[in-house]
Amino acid sequence: MTRTVVESKTKTATLGFDEPFCVIGERINPTGRKKLAAELEAGDFSTVEKDALAQVLAGANILDINAGVVYNSNPNPNETEPPLMAKIVNMVQGLVDIPLCIDSSVPGALEAGLAAAEGRPLLNSVTGEEDRLELVLPLVKKYNVPVVAISNDDTGISEDPDVRFAVAKKIVERAADFGIPAHDIVVDPLVMPIGAMGTAGLQVFALVRRLREELGVNTTCGASNISFGLPNRHGINNAFLPMAMGAGMTSAIMNPVALPATQKKIAEKKAIVEAAGIILPEGMEDEAFVTMFGLGSTKARSGSEMEAIRAANFLTNNDPHGGEWIRSNKAPEAEGEGRGRRGGGRRRRG
């Protein structure tokens, strides 16, 4: 049975067909987050720290680390991204003890992250493009790490699932030429937005089955891509993830955290409540208010997608006796769970 092993110094995350679904937390990524990008350029890592701790508390098994900031002071990522990647990796693994995923399009940043990471991180990513294969596969072999393989090549992203499968097969075969086994390849078959392509869900389910049955590889995806541009994205994601798991998908890169209700949303809701003539108790705390009126919580907590994944793990007997399901629904989540200062470590090398 195919198993992909990802390790920190003290913990292991295993992707496999008979393993619980692996959640790769995506929040440490400045893409589309102007505030975070500005903080990182200024040397402020406070949001990174909060995102790391919140994702572990919400149930992430691996944390994706992306340092893709385009500095205003220096727009060359080949110069700025490698040292920033190393800083973030060192900081995050000093806060939490789960494995990391080193994520970059800059080869120098990939190697800087690999050199800084303890244990056996996941590398994100390689594609079927010839230049990318020649740059990334030697790093995978050198550091003896598993890698995400994205099913596009020099021709771009095909809407034809047969083409995407052929690209994945090419990557697996080229990896074998470097002595990299199929169990260390985690294929991303590329999830298309269902709003733009009505067959996107059916395509990815069929692709995942083929990848499992014909290539024997584990799979992942950017889970929120399926709902891009649509209302109630959580509702679509919550249905998609268990269906993908049923087809054989073994991990997803996603946000495990339900972001807290903002003061702006709380104030807006209070105005609506008061306009309706509802008198609130004097001194009512915000947490009690948001709970009563369905705004979630004032604290970061597990998102609804995590609930769907935990339920699916239970239903597929990948949560024996429902222990994780019961724990997550009955026991309060401990503040700072998953934290711990870290020491140095040594990586296995091929």
Side-chain angles (χ1 to χ4, degrees):
M1 189 68 71
T2 299
R3 285 184 174 83
T4 304
V5 177
V6 187
E7 296 173 328
S8 68
K9 183 184 176 184
T10 58
K11 285 195 173 180
T12 298
T14 305
L15 284 68
F17 306 142
D18 58 351
E19 297 285 338
F21 193 74
C22 186
V23 174
I24 304 170
E26 69 179 6
R27 291 286 294 167
I28 303 175
N29 187 336
T31 304
R33 301 179 68 187
K34 292 183 180 179
K35 179 176 179 290
L36 176 57
E39 287 177 359
L40 291 175
E41 184 171 2
D44 178 358
F45 297 93
S46 56
T47 296
V48 170
E49 293 177 356
K50 291 175 184 176
D51 283 344
L53 294 170
Q55 289 182 104
V56 173
L57 187 61
N61 308 109
I62 297 171
L63 290 186
D64 188 86
I65 308 293
N66 185 302
V69 180
V70 178
Y71 284 11
N72 292 318
S73 57
N74 183 353
N76 184 354
N78 292 307
E79 295 178 359
T80 59
E81 194 171 331
L84 180 61
M85 174 66 82
K87 285 181 183 178
I88 296 176
V89 166
N90 282 319
M91 190 210 67
V92 170
Q93 66 189 3
L95 285 172
V96 303
D97 58 2
I98 67 172
L100 303 182
C101 175
I102 310 302
D103 180 1
S104 181
S105 60
V106 176
L110 291 177
E111 182 145 29
L114 289 171
E118 299 168 343
R120 191 174 196 249
L122 177 63
L123 194 64
N124 188 9
S125 57
V126 68
T127 66
E129 298 165 289
E130 288 299 324
D131 288 349
R132 190 73 177 173
L133 289 165
E134 293 299 324
L135 286 169
V136 176
L137 291 181
L139 287 177
V140 175
K141 179 62 177 177
K142 175 182 177 181
Y143 287 92
N144 185 29
V145 295
V147 63
V148 174
I150 301 179
S151 300
N152 68 279
D153 59 13
D154 301 273
T155 64
I157 300 173
S158 174
E159 293 187 359
D160 184 341
D162 290 334
V163 173
R164 300 207 299 279
F165 177 84
V167 173
K169 184 177 181 182
K170 170 188 173 181
I171 297 172
V172 171
E173 290 172 346
R174 289 291 295 277
D177 292 339
F178 283 84
I180 301 163
H183 65 250
D184 276 341
I185 308 295
V186 181
V187 174
D188 181 347
L190 293 170
V191 175
M192 305 295 188
I194 192 73
M197 180 187 295
T199 59
L202 294 173
Q203 277 195 11
V204 76
F205 302 148
L207 260 173
V208 167
R209 290 188 189 99
R210 284 193 71 189
L211 290 164
R212 172 176 174 164
E213 293 169 3
E214 297 182 34
L215 299 184
V217 293
N218 282 304
T219 45
T220 195
C221 72
S224 64
N225 289 353
I226 193 70
S227 61
F228 181 78
L230 293 172
N232 189 13
R233 296 185 67 183
H234 293 295
I236 295 172
N237 297 345
N238 292 347
F240 169 76
L241 282 163
M243 293 176 76
M245 293 167 68
M249 187 169 283
T250 51
S251 69
I253 301 169
M254 56 178 279
N255 178 14
V257 182
L259 298 181
T262 64
Q263 287 300 313
K264 180 181 178 182
K265 286 186 177 180
I266 294 171
E268 289 173 349
K269 188 66 174 181
K270 283 183 176 179
I272 293 171
V273 169
E274 291 169 0
I278 299 172
I279 299 174
L280 299 171
E282 186 175 348
M284 185 179 193
E285 294 184 353
D286 285 347
E287 182 65 19
F289 176 81
V290 299
T291 300
M292 179 177 291
F293 290 97
L295 295 182
S297 174
T298 59
K299 303 174 183 178
R301 60 178 186 173
S302 295
S304 57
E305 286 89 343
M306 290 299 298
E307 185 175 68
I309 288 169
R310 286 172 175 142
N313 278 333
F314 191 7
L315 290 166
T316 55
N317 200 33
N318 284 321
D319 177 13
H321 310 295
E324 175 63 18
W325 176 259
I326 293 167
R327 186 203 66 78
S328 65
N329 281 282
K330 294 188 72 173
E333 293 176 316
E335 187 73 24
E337 183 180 338
R339 299 167 69 170
R341 304 303 300 181
R342 307 292 310 286
R346 185 173 59 186
R347 175 183 300 107
R348 293 195 305 261
R349 296 179 184 267

